[in-house]
Amino acid sequence: MPSGDFQSDKPADKNIVAAWRQQLKTGFAALKADFSNKPNASRLFKQHCKLIDGLLIAIWAKANIDKSCCLIAVGGYGRGELYPYSDIDLLILLPEHASDGTTINIETLVGLLWDIGLQVGNSVRSLSECIVEAKKDLTVQTNLMESRFLTGDAQLYQNFLNEIDGTLAEPAIVTKFYNSKFKEQKNRHAKFNDTAYNLEPNIKESPGGLRDLHMIMWITQSLNMQSARQVKAGNTWAQLIKLNILTPLEARQIQQHQQKLQLLRIRLHFLSNRREDRLLFDFQNELAADLGFVNTPRKRASEQLMQSYYRSVKFVQLINEILLKSLQQIINATPLAIKPINAHFEARNHLLEAKTAGLLQQTPSAILEAFLLLQQHPELTGMGAALLRNLQRVKKLVNRDFRQNPYNKKLFIEILSQENGVNHAFRAMNRYGILGCYIPAFGKIIGQMQHDLFHVYTVDEHILNVLANLRRFAKPELKHEFPLCSQLFATFDAPHLLYLAAIFHDIAKGRGGDHSKLGTVDASRFCKLHGLVKADCTLVAWLVEAHLQMSATAQKSDLSDPAVIESFANFVKNERRLTALYLLTVADIRGTSPLVWNAWKARLLESLFNATKHALANRTLYAQQAIATRKQEATDKLNKYGLSTYSYEQLWTQFGENYFIRHESDEIAWHSRLLTPHLNTTEPIVRARLSPSGDGIQVMIYAKDQNDLFARICNFFDRMRYSIVEAKIYTTDHAYALDSFIVLDQSGKSVSYSGLLKFIEVELAQKLDESTLLEAPLQGRISRQVKHMPIQAQVTITEESDHNNHKLEIIANDRPGLLATLAHTFLLLGIELHNAKINTLGNRAEDSFLISAKKGQKLDAQQVTALKEALVADI
């Protein structure tokens, strides 16, 4: 670099750099203060761009860049939409044969921009390189469409515009651009599970986010690159009005929702002090307060904020679909292929359209008929833009009179009863605002958040996920996912009843009270109004009321206890109810979050289903038969190992009769084979194996009983980062502890079991030595979701009617060391543990314990109170 050029290490130039840095800092602070005083997105964008423009022009001039180069703003900065912490996208345009000195000066310039605190995303290209890159790279093409001259050679920029506009305006390029952007949008939406209704959505990238509006802008600009230079982002909607693609009312609605999302994103940047586009729980409360939302008895301020957000993204999704379909017709310019469907509708290029513009207004029943036709005609790819627009105009006609119309009721049940397309039809009905009008109770839970730390979707989205999961059971090509569910679904005589139960199972959430019971009233009324026979009405209502019971029984009760199975069999009453409840339960759990379902939960539910089915078929003496069957099955397995009945007879005697109530035949055989030689061992015996019935590892501990055994075991697995999901705590007649645990890797990653089982056997046996100090429980950090959306801890202790035990149920925020902490509390208060079911749902712990006082004595009222107080303090 020549000696007279700018050098940031020279004292004089250091002062200039410091002044620029201060100018940026002061200017940004002023922007923030002005926005805080008077929030206005357009004003902030304009001021922010002006601040950055001025700095860049001054730095460019001082850096002595070759005058034949020019500096161009591109991307969001180019269209004048610069958020507080967004990257500043720049193109440094070079002449075709730039000198080495120019290249060096530009490298210095870029380093300088970073030094003063600008978050720059830059590219350095000649004009010919821009053309080549634009033709092969969609991102480059999109960036260059949104260019804005900053400084340098203005003629070079004009040449750039002419070349880019001419290249990108070619019909083949425009068509390719549309198809590529449409595919890009589909892929982007897929990253968010194709839903806008995540509880922590991305304002920019999620379906219905700002990027969906940018899509329309880019496609519109690509239609006429020459005029697009005068039709930047703010005027895109005006251009679409001129093209008769958009109405003035729609344009105003778009601008309202766009401004709401822009303001929310700006606030989020300022609040997080970074480029954060996710509406994380961490910020929802403060954002809600900033926007004037206040808590009410029914809804938190943050819930109101998010419902407002979901309303905006729902509109954006809809307008995105309508406009993309309209623009596609212009871009592709293919001859219109019209095929009659029926008296009301026809297919236009495989899109459903009404034959007459006033059809829906004159014949409101055609609203539901349209969704039914989409199911019955798989060649249709969706609804056309005109039909979608008309749906929005007439959806208020789906009112009380519409719902009372017998023909409309028939159409709705017919949609539910179709062999194909049920899930797609209901998602479309929800997306276009019809489902919430037809079922008003559903309309009330659209965008309703669920702060329970394991549902990751809004209530309406969860309900539709459950419906989708039921539909997966119906598809033969997906039977490998859930073989038993697919088999049962194929033989179930009325799938539409399951769909109705799915729609109503959570429909009463957010009203206060028991949502299962409130939803039962809604479901029963709906079924009666739609003419379902009494038996079907009763089944749907019962499924809604009972939809949590199978999951609760499987995950909180000892399924090896015949009394538990008998009780559940009495609850379901018959096999048809059992099958329906099982299918709904699996679909429901899988619909809460991609992370909640696992093979362990699948095994529990399947075991409960099979055991209950057997109990229903053998109503008399089920318990006695179950125990006799277990003994015989265990004997048969042990015979295969060459063990005679005599060899383990003493072992079975010492274990006591209750042992056979608490353990399945596979466990009995495993214990007998390994422990027969060690009946009166003085050293703890630990054995581990891969769980024979699902995920994880099964661990058996056999040792002389000691008070701190459970606490030591919990500490050990906590430090291994393994979660205990089930614990059977059993004391034999000769005062030995025979404990069995199922443990899962907390990380959820694939684990190599080579050497792991041996490690558990050796290391855990050493930790059980009473002569070693009992370690304190781990005190791990709680997750950020728990921190910002905690649930109220619940401790319930109820007396068991048939023995001296109490049932302890705990619902709490999950955290590392929680179970070990509970174990220490049990130890301190002299609580004896007999069984534990540990259920973790996301960041929510729902644990169930069977407990007593020492030596199996019954807890008195004072002990129960003391335990409850201690546990509330612990969790």
Side-chain angles (χ1 to χ4, degrees), residues 665-730:
S665 60
D666 179 74
E667 294 174 297
I668 295 168
W670 186 45
H671 296 165
S672 301
R673 182 166 56 87
L674 296 177
L675 297 179
T676 292
H678 308 288
L679 179 59
N680 297 304
T681 181
T682 57
E683 297 294 329
I685 292 175
V686 179
R687 294 291 181 265
R689 65 175 180 174
L690 299 184
S691 176
S693 53
D695 280 356
I697 297 170
Q698 186 173 26
V699 182
M700 173 190 72
I701 296 101
Y702 181 69
K704 284 188 175 180
D705 201 13
Q706 59 190 65
N707 292 333
D708 63 358
L709 196 62
F710 184 61
R712 288 177 180 273
I713 294 167
C714 290
N715 277 339
F716 175 78
F717 286 117
D718 255 353
R719 283 166 168 76
M720 273 191 71
R721 290 189 56 77
Y722 267 67
S723 296
I724 296 171
V725 294
E726 182 177 81
K728 290 184 181 179
I729 313 298
Y730 182 72

Side-chain angles (χ1 to χ4, degrees), residues 580-801:
L581 185 58
Y582 173 68
L583 291 170
L584 180 61
T585 301
V586 174
D588 187 16
I589 297 175
R590 289 188 65 229
T592 59
S593 160
L595 302 177
V596 166
W597 182 262
N598 57 32
W600 166 247
K601 288 184 173 69
R603 202 278 295 179
L604 284 177
L605 288 169
E606 191 168 328
S607 296
L608 178 56
F609 173 82
N610 288 327
T612 307
K613 182 180 176 181
H614 181 67
L616 288 169
N618 300 273
R619 291 275 190 171
T620 57
L621 303 175
Y622 170 74
Q624 295 92 320
Q625 289 177 0
I627 292 170
T629 300
R630 285 176 191 176
K631 287 183 176 180
Q632 186 57 54
E633 288 177 351
T635 297
D636 292 343
K637 290 175 183 178
L638 290 168
N639 285 341
K640 292 178 181 179
Y641 287 97
L643 292 175
S644 65
T645 306
Y646 174 78
S647 62
Y648 52 82
E649 188 174 38
Q650 186 182 4
L651 183 91
W652 282 17
T653 301
Q654 294 285 25
F655 281 3
E657 198 61 29
N658 281 337
Y659 169 76
F660 298 97
I661 295 175
R662 298 285 309 283
H663 297 85
E664 301 285 354
S665 60
D666 179 74
E667 294 174 297
I668 295 168
W670 186 45
H671 296 165
S672 301
R673 182 166 56 87
L674 296 177
L675 297 179
T676 292
H678 308 288
L679 179 59
N680 297 304
T681 181
T682 57
E683 297 294 329
I685 292 175
V686 179
R687 294 291 181 265
R689 65 175 180 174
L690 299 184
S691 176
S693 53
D695 280 356
I697 297 170
Q698 186 173 26
V699 182
M700 173 190 72
I701 296 101
Y702 181 69
K704 284 188 175 180
D705 201 13
Q706 59 190 65
N707 292 333
D708 63 358
L709 196 62
F710 184 61
R712 288 177 180 273
I713 294 167
C714 290
N715 277 339
F716 175 78
F717 286 117
D718 255 353
R719 283 166 168 76
M720 273 191 71
R721 290 189 56 77
Y722 267 67
S723 296
I724 296 171
V725 294
E726 182 177 81
K728 290 184 181 179
I729 313 298
Y730 182 72
T731 304
T732 69
D733 286 356
H734 69 311
Y736 270 70
L738 176 54
D739 299 344
S740 181
F741 293 81
I742 300 289
V743 296
L744 298 177
D745 175 28
Q746 288 178 5
S747 67
K749 297 177 183 175
S750 177
V751 177
S752 171
Y753 290 102
S754 176
L756 178 60
L757 302 182
K758 192 65 180 176
F759 173 83
I760 291 173
E761 292 175 352
V762 173
E763 293 296 321
L764 179 53
Q766 292 176 3
K767 294 291 184 183
L768 299 181
D769 185 352
E770 282 188 294
S771 64
T772 62
L773 186 67
L774 175 63
E775 297 171 298
L778 287 176
Q779 296 297 320
R781 294 174 60 186
I782 61 172
S783 72
R784 60 174 184 80
Q785 288 95 339
V786 170
K787 181 179 178 182
H788 294 282
M789 296 291 178
I791 57 171
Q792 185 67 43
Q794 300 175 39
V795 177
T796 307
I797 304 175
T798 54
E799 188 176 331
E800 295 285 280
S801 59

Side-chain angles (χ1 to χ4, degrees), residues 87 117 127 135 171 221 318 323 357 414 642 708 741 855 857:
D87 284 350
L127 182 53
K135 285 185 175 181
Q221 285 178 233
L318 176 63
L323 294 180
E414 204 172 340
D708 63 358
F741 293 81
K855 296 183 180 180
Q857 295 299 304

